[in-house]
Amino acid sequence: MKKQILLTPGPSQIPPRVAEIASRPIIHHRTQPFRDVLARIHRNMQCVMGTSGDVFILASTGTGALEAGVTNTLSPGDKVICAVAGKFGERYSEICQAYGMNVVEIVKEWGGLVTAQDVEQALKSNPDAKAVFVTHSETSTGALHPLHEIGPVVRAHGALFIVDTVSALGGVPMKMDEWGIDMLAAGSQKALMIGPGLAFLGMSERAWKAYESSTLPKFYFDMKHYKKRWDDKGETPFTSAVTLCLQVDEALQMIMEEGVDNVLERHRRLSRACKAGVAAMGLEFYSENRSDIETVIKAPRGVDGVELVNLVQERFGIKLSGGQAHVKGKIVRIAHMGYATEHDVILALSALEMCLARLGFHVALGSGVKAAEEVFQNEM
């Protein structure tokens, strides 16, 4: 018998008290009890996002919120700058191209970073750019982009700053208003601790001003419908994903009970321990400026990353993630986000040690676990 432990960068583990919500009788989405739930989600999501502005709930995956960020602010032919340093930076570029944008890409090798200096240079070369798109935590590589440095550069130019924080929100700091973010897209199945199916979109006043001149087609993701229904009745304009909303309400209450700062520090502690463990095993990291929601390592020479991930699951029931696209088989991704604990990190490192040894990589058994334990012991 094997316990199944999910340590992938989405979907992530769901706390029992959140999972239990799905077994309750459903309630109607046009009732006061459900409006009360939506109001609480709105308040708590503002807190997690770091905004006093509008936050909307979409019944979609995070990609729906990414698309809404494009269609509600831009028009065909507008020039935009997309930071491309991984799979999800590519997705922003693909969405913009699908809607007829004039896309200028800032391309970095996977694992690298798009910096404020890169963005400033791109804006100087393209002074007519209407928006800059950046992925906060690039889960395909494990890199965390410096939004707090990029935001002021974009604002000084006068462009919109549109950000994908689908995997990062709830796991790393987010200060939407302070960093000058105009559209912020998030998803439910990462650090927010519920299953896939909900997206969240934060909008600034500057985004609403851009909405007034946007001519891109929109219907389901027309945020004017969402704002009007929310302002008039405190509801969503279309049928809500009721059970998922009830679950994210519970998950957000857990975050509030723990305290947002404490949640972020827990993620930092898990990240420090996991990264100390893989370093002690002699493994190399894949990315720069590494995110606290996951640890991404290069598969050692002579070890196939796909085989390693499969062996960890087959032998120990621990599901890790491999690489995507051209890095398939070359990297391994260990998530420690949301409902993750010290226990999960120790299990993952222990399984990784034994499976690497089985595949012929020389590793001193217990070396990674020991390094992680020392981090935890010193930070108790």
PDB file of all heavy atoms in Angstrom, residues 70-78 99 101 210-218:
ATOM      1  N   VAL A  70      -6.122  40.631 -21.398  1.00  0.00           N
ATOM      2  CA  VAL A  70      -5.856  41.126 -22.747  1.00  0.00           C
ATOM      3  C   VAL A  70      -7.100  41.780 -23.330  1.00  0.00           C
ATOM      4  O   VAL A  70      -7.079  42.934 -23.786  1.00  0.00           O
ATOM      5  CB  VAL A  70      -5.377  39.978 -23.666  1.00  0.00           C
ATOM      6  CG1 VAL A  70      -5.238  40.456 -25.106  1.00  0.00           C
ATOM      7  CG2 VAL A  70      -4.061  39.404 -23.162  1.00  0.00           C
ATOM      8  N   THR A  71      -8.217  41.060 -23.319  1.00  0.00           N
ATOM      9  CA  THR A  71      -9.407  41.511 -24.041  1.00  0.00           C
ATOM     10  C   THR A  71     -10.079  42.725 -23.421  1.00  0.00           C
ATOM     11  O   THR A  71     -10.802  43.447 -24.115  1.00  0.00           O
ATOM     12  CB  THR A  71     -10.439  40.372 -24.136  1.00  0.00           C
ATOM     13  OG1 THR A  71     -10.828  39.956 -22.817  1.00  0.00           O
ATOM     14  CG2 THR A  71      -9.868  39.180 -24.892  1.00  0.00           C
ATOM     15  N   ASN A  72      -9.845  42.976 -22.149  1.00  0.00           N
ATOM     16  CA  ASN A  72     -10.519  44.094 -21.487  1.00  0.00           C
ATOM     17  C   ASN A  72      -9.716  45.380 -21.474  1.00  0.00           C
ATOM     18  O   ASN A  72     -10.189  46.400 -20.949  1.00  0.00           O
ATOM     19  CB  ASN A  72     -10.881  43.704 -20.058  1.00  0.00           C
ATOM     20  CG  ASN A  72     -12.082  42.795 -19.997  1.00  0.00           C
ATOM     21  OD1 ASN A  72     -13.214  43.249 -19.929  1.00  0.00           O
ATOM     22  ND2 ASN A  72     -11.833  41.488 -20.043  1.00  0.00           N
ATOM     23  N   THR A  73      -8.524  45.369 -22.056  1.00  0.00           N
ATOM     24  CA  THR A  73      -7.682  46.564 -21.998  1.00  0.00           C
ATOM     25  C   THR A  73      -7.119  46.998 -23.338  1.00  0.00           C
ATOM     26  O   THR A  73      -6.640  48.127 -23.452  1.00  0.00           O
ATOM     27  CB  THR A  73      -6.494  46.328 -21.038  1.00  0.00           C
ATOM     28  OG1 THR A  73      -5.759  45.170 -21.465  1.00  0.00           O
ATOM     29  CG2 THR A  73      -6.965  46.141 -19.604  1.00  0.00           C
ATOM     30  N   LEU A  74      -7.166  46.146 -24.358  1.00  0.00           N
ATOM     31  CA  LEU A  74      -6.431  46.419 -25.589  1.00  0.00           C
ATOM     32  C   LEU A  74      -7.318  46.364 -26.828  1.00  0.00           C
ATOM     33  O   LEU A  74      -8.484  45.947 -26.753  1.00  0.00           O
ATOM     34  CB  LEU A  74      -5.273  45.430 -25.713  1.00  0.00           C
ATOM     35  CG  LEU A  74      -4.230  45.521 -24.589  1.00  0.00           C
ATOM     36  CD1 LEU A  74      -3.330  44.294 -24.597  1.00  0.00           C
ATOM     37  CD2 LEU A  74      -3.406  46.800 -24.720  1.00  0.00           C
ATOM     38  N   SER A  75      -6.742  46.773 -27.939  1.00  0.00           N
ATOM     39  CA  SER A  75      -7.433  46.768 -29.227  1.00  0.00           C
ATOM     40  C   SER A  75      -6.545  46.121 -30.283  1.00  0.00           C
ATOM     41  O   SER A  75      -5.313  46.092 -30.129  1.00  0.00           O
ATOM     42  CB  SER A  75      -7.769  48.203 -29.646  1.00  0.00           C
ATOM     43  OG  SER A  75      -8.594  48.830 -28.686  1.00  0.00           O
ATOM     44  N   PRO A  76      -7.129  45.590 -31.358  1.00  0.00           N
ATOM     45  CA  PRO A  76      -6.318  44.949 -32.402  1.00  0.00           C
ATOM     46  C   PRO A  76      -5.234  45.888 -32.920  1.00  0.00           C
ATOM     47  O   PRO A  76      -5.484  47.079 -33.162  1.00  0.00           O
ATOM     48  CB  PRO A  76      -7.347  44.628 -33.491  1.00  0.00           C
ATOM     49  CG  PRO A  76      -8.641  44.494 -32.753  1.00  0.00           C
ATOM     50  CD  PRO A  76      -8.573  45.508 -31.647  1.00  0.00           C
ATOM     51  N   GLY A  77      -4.027  45.353 -33.052  1.00  0.00           N
ATOM     52  CA  GLY A  77      -2.915  46.144 -33.555  1.00  0.00           C
ATOM     53  C   GLY A  77      -2.109  46.857 -32.502  1.00  0.00           C
ATOM     54  O   GLY A  77      -1.033  47.395 -32.801  1.00  0.00           O
ATOM     55  N   ASP A  78      -2.607  46.899 -31.260  1.00  0.00           N
ATOM     56  CA  ASP A  78      -1.832  47.539 -30.198  1.00  0.00           C
ATOM     57  C   ASP A  78      -0.491  46.832 -30.023  1.00  0.00           C
ATOM     58  O   ASP A  78      -0.402  45.605 -30.100  1.00  0.00           O
ATOM     59  CB  ASP A  78      -2.591  47.484 -28.864  1.00  0.00           C
ATOM     60  CG  ASP A  78      -3.674  48.532 -28.754  1.00  0.00           C
ATOM     61  OD1 ASP A  78      -3.725  49.442 -29.611  1.00  0.00           O
ATOM     62  OD2 ASP A  78      -4.479  48.453 -27.807  1.00  0.00           O
ATOM     63  N   TYR A  99      -5.193  37.540 -30.489  1.00  0.00           N
ATOM     64  CA  TYR A  99      -6.104  38.679 -30.567  1.00  0.00           C
ATOM     65  C   TYR A  99      -5.553  39.820 -31.417  1.00  0.00           C
ATOM     66  O   TYR A  99      -6.063  40.942 -31.364  1.00  0.00           O
ATOM     67  CB  TYR A  99      -6.436  39.179 -29.161  1.00  0.00           C
ATOM     68  CG  TYR A  99      -7.511  38.355 -28.506  1.00  0.00           C
ATOM     69  CD1 TYR A  99      -7.184  37.345 -27.598  1.00  0.00           C
ATOM     70  CD2 TYR A  99      -8.856  38.558 -28.797  1.00  0.00           C
ATOM     71  CE1 TYR A  99      -8.171  36.574 -26.996  1.00  0.00           C
ATOM     72  CE2 TYR A  99      -9.847  37.794 -28.208  1.00  0.00           C
ATOM     73  CZ  TYR A  99      -9.500  36.804 -27.310  1.00  0.00           C
ATOM     74  OH  TYR A  99     -10.485  36.048 -26.724  1.00  0.00           O
ATOM     75  N   MET A 101      -2.531  41.356 -31.501  1.00  0.00           N
ATOM     76  CA  MET A 101      -1.609  42.347 -30.961  1.00  0.00           C
ATOM     77  C   MET A 101      -0.300  42.358 -31.763  1.00  0.00           C
ATOM     78  O   MET A 101       0.102  41.346 -32.341  1.00  0.00           O
ATOM     79  CB  MET A 101      -1.265  42.041 -29.499  1.00  0.00           C
ATOM     80  CG  MET A 101      -2.442  41.955 -28.529  1.00  0.00           C
ATOM     81  SD  MET A 101      -3.296  43.509 -28.314  1.00  0.00           S
ATOM     82  CE  MET A 101      -4.701  43.241 -29.396  1.00  0.00           C
ATOM     83  N   ALA A 210      -8.428  51.989 -19.452  1.00  0.00           N
ATOM     84  CA  ALA A 210      -8.064  51.319 -20.703  1.00  0.00           C
ATOM     85  C   ALA A 210      -9.255  50.547 -21.266  1.00  0.00           C
ATOM     86  O   ALA A 210      -9.412  50.442 -22.494  1.00  0.00           O
ATOM     87  CB  ALA A 210      -6.880  50.385 -20.470  1.00  0.00           C
ATOM     88  N   TYR A 211     -10.093  50.010 -20.376  1.00  0.00           N
ATOM     89  CA  TYR A 211     -11.276  49.269 -20.822  1.00  0.00           C
ATOM     90  C   TYR A 211     -12.152  50.132 -21.729  1.00  0.00           C
ATOM     91  O   TYR A 211     -12.710  49.647 -22.721  1.00  0.00           O
ATOM     92  CB  TYR A 211     -12.085  48.800 -19.613  1.00  0.00           C
ATOM     93  CG  TYR A 211     -13.402  48.151 -19.975  1.00  0.00           C
ATOM     94  CD1 TYR A 211     -13.498  46.779 -20.157  1.00  0.00           C
ATOM     95  CD2 TYR A 211     -14.553  48.920 -20.157  1.00  0.00           C
ATOM     96  CE1 TYR A 211     -14.703  46.180 -20.510  1.00  0.00           C
ATOM     97  CE2 TYR A 211     -15.756  48.339 -20.509  1.00  0.00           C
ATOM     98  CZ  TYR A 211     -15.825  46.980 -20.686  1.00  0.00           C
ATOM     99  OH  TYR A 211     -17.020  46.400 -21.045  1.00  0.00           O
ATOM    100  N   GLU A 212     -12.274  51.407 -21.402  1.00  0.00           N
ATOM    101  CA  GLU A 212     -13.177  52.291 -22.135  1.00  0.00           C
ATOM    102  C   GLU A 212     -12.784  52.435 -23.600  1.00  0.00           C
ATOM    103  O   GLU A 212     -13.648  52.688 -24.453  1.00  0.00           O
ATOM    104  CB  GLU A 212     -13.224  53.667 -21.464  1.00  0.00           C
ATOM    105  CG  GLU A 212     -13.816  53.661 -20.068  1.00  0.00           C
ATOM    106  CD  GLU A 212     -15.230  53.112 -20.028  1.00  0.00           C
ATOM    107  OE1 GLU A 212     -15.993  53.375 -20.999  1.00  0.00           O
ATOM    108  OE2 GLU A 212     -15.579  52.424 -19.054  1.00  0.00           O
ATOM    109  N   SER A 213     -11.512  52.278 -23.917  1.00  0.00           N
ATOM    110  CA  SER A 213     -11.071  52.414 -25.307  1.00  0.00           C
ATOM    111  C   SER A 213     -10.780  51.074 -25.976  1.00  0.00           C
ATOM    112  O   SER A 213     -10.428  51.020 -27.160  1.00  0.00           O
ATOM    113  CB  SER A 213      -9.829  53.310 -25.384  1.00  0.00           C
ATOM    114  OG  SER A 213      -8.762  52.752 -24.631  1.00  0.00           O
ATOM    115  N   SER A 214     -10.918  49.972 -25.235  1.00  0.00           N
ATOM    116  CA  SER A 214     -10.634  48.646 -25.789  1.00  0.00           C
ATOM    117  C   SER A 214     -11.720  48.223 -26.761  1.00  0.00           C
ATOM    118  O   SER A 214     -12.918  48.356 -26.481  1.00  0.00           O
ATOM    119  CB  SER A 214     -10.541  47.621 -24.655  1.00  0.00           C
ATOM    120  OG  SER A 214     -10.501  46.304 -25.169  1.00  0.00           O
ATOM    121  N   THR A 215     -11.306  47.708 -27.925  1.00  0.00           N
ATOM    122  CA  THR A 215     -12.277  47.259 -28.927  1.00  0.00           C
ATOM    123  C   THR A 215     -12.191  45.762 -29.209  1.00  0.00           C
ATOM    124  O   THR A 215     -12.849  45.274 -30.130  1.00  0.00           O
ATOM    125  CB  THR A 215     -12.080  48.025 -30.251  1.00  0.00           C
ATOM    126  OG1 THR A 215     -10.769  47.764 -30.757  1.00  0.00           O
ATOM    127  CG2 THR A 215     -12.267  49.516 -30.053  1.00  0.00           C
ATOM    128  N   LEU A 216     -11.405  45.038 -28.438  1.00  0.00           N
ATOM    129  CA  LEU A 216     -11.342  43.594 -28.638  1.00  0.00           C
ATOM    130  C   LEU A 216     -12.678  42.949 -28.274  1.00  0.00           C
ATOM    131  O   LEU A 216     -13.363  43.410 -27.356  1.00  0.00           O
ATOM    132  CB  LEU A 216     -10.226  42.982 -27.792  1.00  0.00           C
ATOM    133  CG  LEU A 216      -8.806  43.171 -28.304  1.00  0.00           C
ATOM    134  CD1 LEU A 216      -7.801  42.648 -27.290  1.00  0.00           C
ATOM    135  CD2 LEU A 216      -8.611  42.471 -29.639  1.00  0.00           C
ATOM    136  N   PRO A 217     -13.069  41.866 -28.972  1.00  0.00           N
ATOM    137  CA  PRO A 217     -14.343  41.202 -28.656  1.00  0.00           C
ATOM    138  C   PRO A 217     -14.293  40.538 -27.288  1.00  0.00           C
ATOM    139  O   PRO A 217     -13.266  40.006 -26.872  1.00  0.00           O
ATOM    140  CB  PRO A 217     -14.483  40.166 -29.778  1.00  0.00           C
ATOM    141  CG  PRO A 217     -13.082  39.910 -30.236  1.00  0.00           C
ATOM    142  CD  PRO A 217     -12.366  41.213 -30.090  1.00  0.00           C
ATOM    143  N   LYS A 218     -15.408  40.609 -26.590  1.00  0.00           N
ATOM    144  CA  LYS A 218     -15.505  39.988 -25.273  1.00  0.00           C
ATOM    145  C   LYS A 218     -16.975  39.777 -24.930  1.00  0.00           C
ATOM    146  O   LYS A 218     -17.826  40.598 -25.274  1.00  0.00           O
ATOM    147  CB  LYS A 218     -14.822  40.843 -24.196  1.00  0.00           C
ATOM    148  CG  LYS A 218     -15.024  42.334 -24.330  1.00  0.00           C
ATOM    149  CD  LYS A 218     -14.088  43.095 -23.415  1.00  0.00           C
ATOM    150  CE  LYS A 218     -14.034  44.584 -23.749  1.00  0.00           C
ATOM    151  NZ  LYS A 218     -13.204  44.826 -24.952  1.00  0.00           N
TER     152      LYS A 218
END
